[in-house]
Each structure stands twice: as C-alpha cells, then as structure tokens.
Amino acid sequence: MTMKSSGNSSPMDEVNVYLGSYTQPHPLFVPVACGAGITVCAFDKRSGRLAFRSEPGGILNPSYLALDERNEHLFAVSENFDAEGAVQVFKRQPDGSLLAADAQPSGGRASCHVCVTPGGYVCASSYLDGCESIYPFRDGKIGPREHLFYYQGTAENTARRRTSHAHQAVVSPDAHWLYVCDPGTDRIWRHTLVSGRVAPTPLNSVSTPAGYGPRHLVFHPALPRVYVICESNAYLLTYDW
C-alpha cells in the first residue's frame, strides 16, 4: 500500500491510497488469491473513511507498489511464480487514478518488490530466481534493464537456503547505498549509488545469523539504526549504520 495527496481535494483532508493484491491463485504460494490487482481509494483523514475510486486492472499479481520522487508515476511488480514477471509503470492522473504507461520484464520469477532511487533508477527484486534488476527511468519511460544481479552465499540452514531469494531493495537515507535483503543466503548485499545510479557489482554484504532469513529492513527516521525482520523465525535484528 502507498498513500499520497489527492488531486481533487484539500491535501489536508484526503489522500490517495493505492492497494496491490494477488489476482491469480497459485497452489503453493497464494491458493486463494482473488484480488482485483491495483485498487485506488481515497482516505479522508478527518472522518477516517476509505472510499473506493477505481481499479485500472490488467496486471497480474501486483504485490508491491512504489512511487517516484515527484509522485507522478506509480510502479508495480507483477509477481509471476511460474515465469518471468514484469515491472509496470502507471501515470498518476490529477484525480489520483492510474493510466498504464510502460513496462519491462522483471528478470526473474516471483518479483516481489520494487523501489526507485533518487536518481531515477528502478530496482526490482525477484524472490524465486534470487536476482535484482536495475532499469533507468526517464521522461515517463522505463528503459531496458541496465544490470541483472544474481547473488550467491553460503547459508547453512536448509537446502532451500543454499540459493538466493532476493526480497527487497532499500536506498540509504544519504542516497549513497542500495541494500538488498536476501533471506536465501542470510545476507544483506550492499551496492554503491552514484547520483542514484547503481554500480555494476555489489560492494560487499553483511551476514545475518544462519537460518534467520533477512526479509525486509527499514532505517530509523532520526538515529543511525537499521531494523531487519527475519523470514524464518520471529526475530527482529538491529544494526548500527
């Protein structure tokens, strides 16, 4: 879910809410999926009410959404478990609705996360194939993939954990680094960012305890701290940054 100010109401009263959902059932991962894809709603901050606005449709399993710096475009990953997915781009309209604008193949199966760097590069994480795809985004168009990173590690838990499962990419608060959570190898990979552009090879990685599976991280809004939720157990890891 992502929220931004609506174009047809006072920003003090209403914000647009964009909800992603699974549209196609899969027997192993989402057996009861029945969502509409992306749903656009308006949230009234005074009343607390959420009102339906529209559903653009036409996208398979948009499981994660992100906005660019100017809040002009919304990005969605199409999470296909059996074949390569896609990164979809939508243009935000004045009323908050979405218009399909562009797309690129995601580079892997189960593409589950997308983010945009301050320099206008789109990063898509594919869980089952353990890869990170990097695309330039200019003038409302997402260009052909510039980098495709495959990660390798020496995780010591189950057979499943011998291979990468890239799950999330996060830009550091100073915009100098890109961190990729990889529960498959029990590592957090670090890439250098230069003017928002991702360097061609990972700089290094941080190992988490074996078998924990670092899935998702957030930076503290004021302190030099990072919090990492783990996929394989009920642990929250804390790091100095």
Side-chain angles (χ1 to χ4, degrees):
M1 181 183 76
T2 186
M3 301 175 65
K4 288 296 172 182
S5 298
S6 171
N8 59 4
S9 180
S10 168
M12 297 299 294
D13 300 333
E14 189 176 282
V15 293
N16 294 130
V17 179
Y18 299 96
L19 304 167
S21 62
Y22 288 99
T23 62
Q24 186 178 91
H26 189 284
L28 294 178
F29 303 106
V30 283
V32 295
C34 59
I38 299 176
T39 300
V40 183
C41 297
F43 176 70
D44 189 310
K45 293 188 288 186
R46 291 187 298 178
S47 68
R49 293 179 178 176
L50 191 68
F52 172 85
R53 288 291 183 260
S54 63
E55 287 173 343
I59 177 173
L60 171 73
N61 296 338
S63 60
Y64 204 92
L65 313 176
L67 288 159
D68 63 4
E69 280 191 296
R70 297 182 178 181
N71 301 324
E72 295 177 350
H73 295 87
L74 182 137
F75 300 83
V77 282
S78 178
E79 188 167 354
N80 190 334
F81 298 104
D82 299 314
E84 183 179 21
V87 181
Q88 303 269 359
V89 184
F90 295 85
K91 173 69 175 177
R92 291 184 73 226
Q93 303 302 295
D95 63 354
S97 61
L98 300 173
L99 181 65
D102 203 6
Q104 286 285 349
S106 68
R109 295 171 299 155
S111 302
C112 56
H113 186 269
V114 62
C115 77
V116 186
T117 74
Y121 284 82
V122 180
C123 309
S125 308
S126 294
Y127 186 88
L128 288 181
D129 285 328
C131 59
E132 191 73 26
S133 296
I134 312 295
Y135 311 83
F137 182 71
R138 299 289 183 272
D139 301 321
K141 297 292 184 180
I142 183 169
R145 185 169 52 238
E146 191 169 284
H147 300 301
L148 179 59
F149 298 110
Y150 285 96
Y151 303 106
Q152 296 181 347
T154 56
E156 300 172 356
N157 192 11
T158 64
R160 172 180 172 274
R161 299 211 163 280
R162 295 191 186 97
T163 58
S164 171
H165 292 295
H167 187 269
Q168 180 209 28
V170 182
V171 177
S172 63
D174 62 5
H176 290 163
W177 315 102
L178 181 75
Y179 295 92
V180 177
C181 288
D182 183 358
T185 62
D186 289 323
R187 291 172 183 263
I188 301 170
W189 302 91
R190 182 164 65 107
H191 298 259
T192 305
L193 290 177
V194 181
S195 299
R197 189 172 189 174
V198 182
T201 56
L203 183 62
N204 55 26
S205 65
V206 173
S207 296
T208 61
Y212 276 46
R215 178 179 178 91
H216 198 99
L217 71 80
V218 295
F219 285 85
H220 190 283
L223 299 176
R225 299 287 185 274
V226 176
Y227 302 95
V228 181
I229 190 72
C230 296
E231 177 177 293
S232 302
N233 54 30
Y235 278 85
L236 180 70
L237 303 177
T238 303
Y239 291 89
D240 290 328
W241 179 66

